[in-house]
Amino acid sequence: MKARGPWHDYPRALRELLRREPQSLPMVAAKLGWCRARHGLGPRDFFDFELRHRPTSTWRDYLSDVPHMRRIMRALHPEHVARLANDKVLSTERLMERGVPVAPVYVVAGRDTQSHPAGGRLSVVNDAAALRRWLEGAPDRLFCKPATGSFGNGVFRAHRDGAHWRVGGISMSAAAFAEHLLGQDDRSGTLVSPELRNHPALAPIAADLGLSATRVYTAYTTTGIEIFCTIQKVMTTPALADNFHDGSTGHLLCFIDPENGCITRAYGRDPDDQIRLSTYETHALTGAHFTGFPIPFWNEILEVARAATEAMPELPLPGLDIALTETGPVMLESNAYCFAIAPQLQFGGLRPILESLLPRLAVDPERRDDALWALRTGEPGARRNMH
C-alpha cells in the first residue's frame, strides 16, 4: 500500500518539526514511520489530521487521497459517469434543463462537437468571424474557463479596453481575441461567462480578491439527499481561482456548520511550511474573525446543492461549488471527486463514515460494492456480492 505524498515529504516534514519544536523530533519521527508502515499514511496525512495527538487505535480510520480515496471514487464514479461533472458544458446543460440556477454562459468557443457532443442549450461557436461579431456586443468584462479544466488551470479574464481586449496583460483586437478563444488547447471548448462578483455580505472574508465558492459535498442516498461536508473557500491574495490545492495556493478552507451556516474553523498553510497545516483566526487583509462568521443566504445555498444533486443522480457523492453572487447563489461546477482532506479535517477519520454511508447511496449495487471493496481492502478492481 502506497502512502500519500512522495518520499521527499519526509525530510521536509522533519525539517519543519525541527524548526518549530526540536524536542519532539525523536518521538514524532517514530510515530511518522509507524503510521506509514502500518496504515499507508504519509507525512501530509499525519500532520494534516494531527495524528500525533490521536490514539494510534484511531489511525486506521483515516484515508489518504492517494491511493485510498482515488480508488474509492473511481469505483463509485467511473470515468463514463464522472464525465458529466468533468465536462462543464454537459453539467451546465443538465442543470439548466432541471431548472437549477447556474453561472451564466454566453458562448462556448472552440468546442469540437464530434469528440465532445453538446446538448444544444449552450451556444457553441467555432467560427472566428461569428465570434468576433458576438464580441462587438459582449459585456466589457468576461471570465473564460476550459470545459474540462481543473484546479483553475487555463482560466483567464478578458476586459474590454476601447476597441481592444486586454487578456492577461496583453492587448488584442477583437479579431485576435476571437482567434485566441478558438485556439485554446482544450478541444472541449472554452466557456465564456460574465465576470461574477461575490455578494457584498461576504466582503469581510472575501476581501474582493476574486470569486470565492462554497464547496458542498452531498450524498444521494436511498432515503434522500444528505449534506456531507460544507466548506467556504477563502482567498488571501488576488487570484483567478479559489482552489486550495493542498494549501499550496495560500488560500484557506473554512469549515461551516451545516445546521446554522456559521464558520467553525479555518485552515491554511503558512508560507514557510510545505507539510504542516495551520489554523487561522482572522483574515489577514480585513481582520474579520472566521469563527462564528455566518455565511449569508445559507439555506438558499443548500437548496441549490440539493437541487443540483437531484439533477445529477448518476453522481451519488459529488462536490458542488456554489458561488454566492450579487444576485444570489448559483452553481459554478460539480466535481466527481470527494477529497479526503476536507471531511477528515471537519469530522475525523472517514473510514467509519464511509462504511455507513456507501451502502446507503442510491447507486447500482455493482458500483456500490466496488467502492466498498476499495474502502475495506485498499485495492482497486471489482468485487461483487459482498454481502
Side-chain angles (χ1 to χ4, degrees):
M1 180 183 293
K2 294 181 179 179
R4 171 187 173 209
W7 282 101
H8 59 238
D9 277 352
Y10 285 85
R12 288 175 177 172
L14 296 176
R15 282 196 300 269
E16 290 177 16
L17 189 64
L18 185 63
R19 187 178 72 246
R20 289 173 175 263
E21 40 183 311
Q23 71 282 356
S24 66
L25 183 61
M27 179 269 293
V28 175
K31 284 188 173 184
L32 192 57
W34 174 255
C35 190
R36 178 169 192 132
R38 183 73 173 175
H39 302 289
L41 299 172
R44 294 179 186 273
D45 301 301
F46 184 83
F47 287 106
D48 284 354
F49 308 135
E50 301 178 332
L51 297 185
R52 57 182 289 195
H53 302 303
R54 302 183 188 278
T56 56
S57 60
T58 66
W59 289 3
R60 72 171 302 275
D61 292 341
Y62 288 81
L63 305 173
S64 66
D65 275 313
V66 180
H68 304 148
M69 284 302 291
R70 178 175 294 178
R71 290 171 175 171
I72 294 167
M73 296 308 298
R74 281 179 175 174
L76 194 60
H77 298 160
E79 184 177 355
H80 70 281
V81 171
R83 190 177 300 120
L84 174 61
N86 295 338
D87 188 330
K88 298 173 185 63
V89 169
L90 298 181
S91 56
T92 298
E93 290 190 324
R94 172 70 71 84
L95 294 170
M96 292 172 64
E97 178 186 336
R98 303 297 171 86
V100 181
V102 296
V105 177
Y106 295 134
V107 294
V108 180
R111 184 175 176 91
D112 182 350
T113 54
Q114 295 298 313
S115 58
H116 296 85
R121 286 183 170 268
L122 297 180
S123 175
V124 176
V125 180
N126 287 320
D127 178 73
L131 190 55
R132 178 182 56 78
R133 289 192 296 271
W134 177 82
L135 286 170
E136 290 175 357
D140 292 342
R141 303 174 71 89
L142 302 174
F143 187 83
C144 309
K145 61 182 179 181
T148 53
S150 58
F151 298 110
N153 295 323
V155 303
F156 59 93
R157 294 189 182 99
H159 298 168
R160 193 189 302 274
D161 184 12
H164 286 68
W165 288 86
R166 186 163 293 278
V167 181
I170 300 174
S171 182
M172 302 180 182
S173 66
F177 182 31
E179 293 288 355
H180 179 74
L181 284 169
L182 294 175
Q184 299 299 302
D185 292 336
D186 191 336
R187 301 319 300 160
S188 63
T190 298
L191 280 71
V192 182
S193 300
E195 185 179 5
L196 300 176
R197 298 174 65 88
N198 295 309
H199 192 282
L202 280 176
I205 62 169
D208 199 27
L209 298 172
L211 190 66
S212 298
T214 305
R215 170 67 63 87
V216 182
Y217 286 113
T218 58
Y220 194 178
T221 75
T222 54
T223 57
I225 296 168
E226 299 179 11
I227 304 299
F228 179 50
C229 180
T230 49
I231 310 152
Q232 181 67 37
K233 294 186 279 186
V234 169
M235 294 182 178
T236 58
T237 56
L240 291 170
D242 60 4
N243 55 296
F244 184 67
H245 204 41
D246 208 22
S248 62
T249 60
H251 300 328
L252 308 180
L253 292 181
C254 296
F255 292 94
I256 306 168
D257 183 333
E259 296 298 324
N260 59 29
C262 293
I263 291 176
T264 57
R265 206 169 189 189
Y267 286 91
R269 204 175 300 283
D270 289 347
D272 293 335
D273 291 338
Q274 294 178 296
I275 305 297
R276 299 162 60 106
L277 286 180
S278 300
T279 56
Y280 289 76
E281 297 297 326
T282 59
H283 195 289
L285 296 182
T286 68
H289 285 268
F290 289 122
T291 303
F293 182 87
I295 302 300
F297 299 94
W298 182 242
N299 289 332
E300 290 82 351
I301 290 172
L302 295 187
E303 286 176 11
V304 171
R306 293 188 182 97
T309 305
E310 190 170 3
M312 298 184 289
E314 301 96 321
L315 300 163
L317 196 63
L320 308 170
D321 284 342
I322 301 169
L324 179 57
T325 70
E326 295 169 303
T327 58
V330 295
M331 271 288 299
L332 290 181
E333 58 185 62
S334 57
N335 300 271
Y337 192 95
C338 176
F339 289 95
I341 184 171
Q344 291 186 138
L345 283 173
Q346 190 169 20
F347 303 121
L350 258 180
R351 190 181 301 277
I353 296 172
L354 291 180
E355 283 277 8
S356 170
L357 181 64
L358 290 178
R360 297 189 291 110
L361 293 180
V363 65
D364 65 80
E366 182 175 300
R367 284 161 57 193
R368 179 200 64 207
D369 289 351
D370 286 352
L372 280 168
W373 175 254
L375 171 66
R376 293 169 181 172
T377 67
E379 297 176 3
R383 174 63 179 252
R384 314 288 186 235
N385 303 319
M386 296 183 62
H387 303 294

